[in-house]
Amino acid sequence: ALASRASASRRGRARLASRGVTDASRRVVGARGPIDRVARAVASPSLPSGPLDDLPVPDFLRGPLGDIVRNVETALPDDAKKALLRTQYTSAVGLRLAFFLTQGVLSSRVSGRSNIDGAAAAAAIAKAVLDPAPRAKIPDEKSNLGNIVSNAADGRALTDDEAAEVSQFLEQHLTCIVNLFRTELEHLENGTYKFPYDLNPATAPTEQWNPAQVLAIASDTLSDQAKVSDRRNAKRGQELLDTFGPDPERYPAYYLQNFHYQTDGWLSADSARLYDFQVETLFLGSADTMRRQALPFVSRWMEGRDPADTKVLDVASGTGRFLTFVRDNWPELDCTAVELSPHYLDAVRKSNERFEDVATYPRAGPLKLVEANCEKMPFEDASFDAVTNVYLFHEMPKEARSNAAREFARVLKPGGKLFFVDSAQVGDGKALGMEKAFDQALERFPQFNHEPYYRDYSLTNLEELFGEFGLVLEESTVAWVSKAWCLTKREDPSEAVEEVEPVVVEAPDLSGAGAR
């Protein structure tokens, strides 16, 4: 809506409101089996390459061709490899960004709440790509963006000065998206993790490149967007309570929400089918990239470890998207996915079917699927080497977050790791050079999306919350509107601090001048 109103006020000079941005290629298989990932990381960037089984060649040639592929990669100069890698990656993310930008424009028009200027949006992206230098920003003490957002949401047209501030704010966010992609490219060039499998046409799932399948899910998403818009206008964020009764042992009341005003909440096959496409549209194709910023932490931890002897628990798996990236890099891991929704758990099964291909993943470890609430998981104490958790806490009330953190610590072995990804919080914008504007956006986000627990989450001191249960923060990074953390469970349980109520940081003064 802001992008539309800024465009009207500045005659098309405003830029797209990027509302949020959101995987690793297969190993080369030849006569001698899969190439060792560690050796590849040292020798060269993680170049994407397709399986020889996809090529129409006789079986007796597959072995020699496998040797040729490996020899060519080894012989290729490092700078040439990097140039090839950069070309493949930038082409892939560029197409992805353009595609989901188009979807965002169409979605805004279907919703009837705004009419995003696609040309202005494309110009903003081009500026972010071609002019990566930090741009001048309105000083925090003079920023009135929070009130502009509120007033624009109420239908008031923007003045030229307000449109200029909105335009700058949106361009800064687009620059953050581009910088996020640059960060991932550095990880790929350094061999930190593999080229994302869904960015490689030879290994991407058919639903990402088959025109008929892409058209079908795009059309279904746009059709559902009209329902989402109606639900948002009517503030119907708890429709699920008309169908399901809260049950602490099954579906707690906080879970029965139409988060994001999405149809059926988490409790239908259609919701699970559309979810990833909807999220990538919201975040202009960068949601997966934000998730993957936890992989460097996993990569460092896995050095010297035997994947086959490593047990990983993915909590609140959703559609299993992040888990596929973890398993693609370390296929031999012994993995368990726990998810409360039976429909999303089935999506986890489907997204991980790729690891049943023994030609590509000859030593893939097991995957166990468990339908359970993460506040009370059916696993033994100290039974996992690592826990992964992505985009859960911002949709939980305070008590539930505390229960989940306690369970993470309980099932982890001493010295085990928690790899945690969720929404950025108040104060995280400082790392991006736009702290107050970022905090204002976080405060207003629930106005446009049904996120009843988001504001409390954004102010919660997560380091102290996890610390109550002996989980110590070791590494962290801000990835645009997400944050990725690596925490370690204390070896000695007696070192855990005394349990206290989670500390909530003081909310910043976001009133600004000109409040209405």
Side-chain angles (χ1 to χ4, degrees), residues 24-48:
S25 76
R26 301 178 179 180
R27 297 182 178 185
V28 181
V29 179
R32 300 191 184 111
I35 296 174
D36 181 74
R37 180 186 176 279
V38 176
R40 288 185 66 189
V42 172
S44 68
S46 46
L47 291 171

Side-chain angles (χ1 to χ4, degrees), residues 3 14-22 92-110 114-129 170 174 177-178 181 218 222 277-286 480:
R15 305 300 188 253
L16 168 71
S18 95
R19 301 174 53 188
V21 198
T22 166
V93 298
L95 288 172
R96 189 180 182 94
L97 184 60
F99 175 80
F100 284 109
L101 167 61
T102 302
Q103 287 301 121
V105 172
L106 293 175
S107 179
S108 73
R109 293 175 179 174
V110 167
S114 61
N115 188 11
I116 292 176
D117 185 334
I125 291 176
K127 184 172 183 179
V129 173
L170 302 178
L174 286 166
I177 297 173
V178 173
F181 289 143
L222 289 176
F277 196 92
Q278 291 172 329
V279 171
E280 291 295 353
T281 299
L282 178 65
F283 295 111
L284 297 183
S286 68
W480 189 34

Side-chain angles (χ1 to χ4, degrees), residues 344-363:
Y344 277 75
L345 193 64
D346 190 51
V348 176
R349 178 187 61 78
K350 292 176 182 176
S351 66
N352 279 266
E353 285 178 345
R354 64 186 299 108
F355 300 101
E356 297 173 8
D357 180 357
V358 295
T360 306
Y361 302 101
R363 296 190 293 273

Side-chain angles (χ1 to χ4, degrees), residues 4 26 62 71 75 142 163 166 168 176 208 268 279 291 325 335 362 404 425 437 447 457 489 513:
S4 176
R26 301 178 179 180
R62 296 189 186 280
N71 290 337
K142 296 182 180 179
V166 170
Q168 174 205 263
C176 289
Q208 290 190 206
S268 77
V279 171
R291 293 183 181 105
F325 303 145
C335 295
Q425 296 178 284
Q447 292 183 7
Y457 161 82
K489 181 178 177 179

Side-chain angles (χ1 to χ4, degrees), residues 23-25 27 37 192-197 288 291-299 301-302 307 310-315 317 320-336 351-352 354-355 361 364-367 386-390 419-421:
D23 277 337
S25 76
R27 297 182 178 185
R37 180 186 176 279
T192 305
Y193 55 89
K194 294 169 62 178
F195 193 94
Y197 70 81
D288 278 342
R291 293 183 181 105
R292 288 195 293 267
Q293 298 319 292
L295 290 182
F297 303 149
V298 182
S299 182
W301 176 66
M302 285 298 298
T310 302
K311 299 182 67 176
V312 175
L313 174 65
D314 188 40
V315 178
S317 289
R321 193 76 177 168
F322 180 69
L323 184 59
T324 64
F325 303 145
V326 173
R327 296 187 72 200
D328 189 59
N329 279 271
W330 302 279
E332 298 86 359
L333 290 171
D334 182 346
C335 295
T336 300
S351 66
N352 279 266
R354 64 186 299 108
F355 300 101
Y361 302 101
L367 171 62
V387 168
T388 59
N389 177 241
V390 178
F419 302 106
F420 177 85
V421 180

